[in-house]
Amino acid sequence: MDRFPNQVEIERSALMHNLKQIRSVLDPETAVTAVVKADAYGHGMVPAAKALAEAGADRLAVAHLAEGLRLRKAGVGCPIVVLCGILTRSEAGAVVEHGLIPVLPEPGPAELLDEEARRRGRRVPVQLKIDTGMGRLGAPSDGTGGFVRRVMDCRGLEPEGLLSHLSSADEPDRTFTEGQIRRFQAALETARGQGMDTRASSLANSAGTLEYPEARLGMVRPGILLYGGSPSPDLTPCIDLKPAMTLRARVLQVRDIPPGSPVSYGRTYTTSGPERIAVLSAGYSDGLPRTLSNRGQVLIHGERVPIRGRICMNLTMADVTAVPGVRPGDEAVFLGRQGRRVLSGDDVAGACGTISYEIYCALGQCGKKTILS
Ligand SMILES: *Cc1c(COP(=O)(O)O)cnc(C)c1O
C-alpha cells in the first residue's frame, strides 16, 4: 500500500509513558481523568483512549456527547465524563442509555436529565460545574449551595462531584490560581454541608496537577501532558514526557537558486546570496499554520533549517544551503524528533504566535494519521 507522503505519526507507547509519569507525582489513591476531547488533541481519540485506559486511566473526559458515543461504539467501557454537558431531551436520553457522566453548568439541564433518567427507572451520575474564576461554563461559586440543592432534589440524578477549571495555573504568578483553589474548597464544603458526596470532584488541569499539589484533591484532569506537551513555554514540566506526535514529509526537489530570486507566492522572500532551497511535500492542507511562512523551521538531516517564503497548500520551501547532501526523497520533520534534534509543539507554536494545543489539533485534523505501537 502506498503511504501518503506526509504522515502524522502517533506513538501509543508515548501516551502510556506520559500517563505513568503523571502518576509518579500523585498519591497512589489520586484518580486520573485523561482528557481525550478534540480527537485527543489531534492524536486520534479512539486509539488514544484505548491506550490510556489500558495504561490505567480511571476515567476519560470528552468535550461533547458525540465524542462519548463514539468511544462507547468503539467498545471503550470505562467511565466517560462529558465536559460540555447536554442541552436537549434526546441528548439526555443518550447519556442515560450509554452510561455517560455529564458535567452540568446550571439546574435546567439537570432537571431535564432527571426526567429522562426517572422515565427509564435509572439514576444517572452527574458532575456540577462551578466557575471559580475561569469565566467560562458553570454556576458562580458563591451560588454553589442553591445549585447543589436543586440537583439533590432530582431523584433520578446522583451528584458525584463538583468540577471547576483553572484559567492561569501555567503562569508564574500564583495569586489568581490560589484564589481559585480557595473558592473551590469553599464550594466543596458547601456541597458537603448539603449532604452531597463530593468524592469525584476535580479542579486540576495539567498545569494545576504539576504546579499545585493542593489542587489535586482526589482526582486530576490532565490533557496536554498526556500528549507530551507542556501547558505553556513558561512551565518546564518536572517529569520526563515523550511527545507522541510527529509530522514527517519528503523533499521533492533541491534547487540551487541565484541571488535576488523570489521564493513562493507573493515574493515575500528573496534570496540574498546563492541559496539551496529544498521543496517539501507538506503545506497548510496538512495542518501547518500558514503563519509559519518565513518564521518556522523544519528538521532535515537532523539539522534545523528555516522555512522560506509562504507556505502553500501542499508545499513548503526550506533553506538547506548549510546542510550538505540533501536530496529528493529525504525526510523533513515539521514536528517531532529527527536524529538528535527535536521541534517541539512549543517550538512550532512559538514561531507562529499560538499555543502547542492548537498545533496538535490542526495537524491531527488532516486525517492521515498512522498509529505506531
Ligand atoms: C481541556 C480541559 C482540561 C485539560 O487541560 P490541559 O491544559 O490540556 O491539561 C481539563 N479540564 C477541562 C474542563 C478542560 O476543558
Side-chain angles (χ1 to χ4, degrees):
M1 193 192 84
D2 285 338
R3 287 221 319 186
F4 202 83
N6 313 315
Q7 283 288 326
V8 171
E9 289 171 0
I10 309 296
E11 280 181 65
R12 247 173 79 84
S13 60
L15 302 178
M16 299 167 88
H17 165 91
N18 294 332
L19 176 59
K20 292 202 175 86
Q21 283 293 308
I22 296 167
R23 279 235 189 264
S24 73
V25 302
L26 302 175
D27 290 337
E29 63 273 17
T30 304
V32 176
T33 296
V35 180
V36 295
K37 66 189 179 192
D39 203 27
Y41 295 36
H43 291 64
M45 182 178 63
V46 169
K50 287 186 170 171
L52 291 164
E54 194 183 316
D58 300 280
R59 297 177 161 209
L60 300 167
V62 295
H64 303 294
L65 173 65
E67 297 172 314
L69 297 178
R70 223 179 102 211
L71 287 177
R72 282 286 183 259
K73 208 166 183 182
V76 175
C78 72
I80 297 172
V81 177
V82 180
L83 295 168
C84 298
I86 49 135
L87 278 181
T88 66
R89 194 167 288 285
S90 77
E91 289 171 353
V95 159
V96 184
E97 297 298 333
H98 297 275
L100 305 172
I101 307 169
V103 181
L104 304 173
E106 54 187 36
E111 284 156 3
L112 186 67
L113 181 61
D114 179 43
E115 284 173 29
E116 291 304 303
R118 282 187 293 143
R119 221 155 55 82
R120 292 168 171 82
R122 304 268 280 278
R123 281 196 87 195
V124 176
V126 295
Q127 298 250 335
L128 277 54
K129 185 74 180 266
I130 306 296
D131 185 2
T132 54
M134 173 73 192
R136 206 170 68 175
L137 276 177
S141 56
D142 57 10
T144 302
F147 187 19
V148 168
R149 253 191 315 278
R150 290 271 295 271
V151 178
M152 297 272 287
D153 282 343
C154 297
R155 307 313 304 164
L157 304 185
E158 194 179 314
E160 54 148 45
L162 303 183
L163 186 147
S164 188
H165 195 45
L166 297 170
S167 72
S168 312
D170 57 328
E171 291 175 4
D173 187 333
R174 302 174 75 86
T175 320
F176 191 77
T177 302
E178 283 162 1
Q180 282 203 271
I181 296 170
R182 273 197 307 277
R183 287 189 283 282
F184 193 60
Q185 277 162 345
L188 286 172
E189 297 262 312
T190 303
R192 285 189 206 110
Q194 312 265 357
M196 182 182 146
D197 187 347
T198 59
R199 271 175 298 179
S201 299
S202 64
L203 175 63
N205 53 7
S206 290
T209 301
L210 289 185
E211 297 296 310
Y212 296 86
E214 68 277 29
R216 290 175 191 156
L217 307 167
M219 187 186 289
V220 295
R221 297 191 315 270
I224 194 81
L225 295 177
L226 296 168
Y227 308 104
S230 167
S232 136
D234 299 332
L235 192 163
T236 308
C238 55
I239 50 178
D240 164 46
L241 297 170
K242 285 195 183 139
M245 183 185 286
T246 302
L247 173 61
R248 296 177 205 284
R250 292 190 306 183
V251 175
L252 296 175
Q253 188 185 12
V254 179
R255 298 181 54 196
D256 286 307
I257 295 195
S261 311
V263 174
S264 194
Y265 285 119
R267 308 184 314 284
T268 59
Y269 182 78
T270 305
T271 53
S272 47
E275 283 179 25
R276 181 166 288 178
I277 296 287
V279 184
L280 313 176
S281 64
Y284 60 77
S285 68
D286 301 283
L288 290 171
R290 189 165 165 279
T291 45
L292 282 177
S293 300
N294 288 310
R295 292 168 180 268
Q297 298 181 315
V298 298
L299 300 175
I300 297 179
H301 286 204
E303 300 294 338
R304 281 181 181 228
V305 298
I307 290 173
R308 297 296 196 210
R310 288 209 177 125
I311 292 184
C312 308
M313 190 179 286
N314 305 101
L315 299 170
T316 296
M317 274 55 76
D319 184 346
V320 293
T321 311
V323 184
V326 177
R327 299 177 42 190
D330 288 354
E331 177 195 83
V333 168
F334 283 86
L335 174 75
R337 174 178 291 281
Q338 188 188 55
R340 288 174 299 112
R341 290 242 160 67
V342 176
L343 275 175
S344 70
D346 280 334
D347 291 333
V348 178
C352 58
T354 184
I355 54 172
S356 62
Y357 296 64
E358 191 181 0
I359 301 295
Y360 295 131
C361 287
L363 295 181
Q365 254 168 23
C366 293
K368 303 149 203 157
K369 279 195 280 281
T370 305
I371 314 292
L372 306 176
S373 61

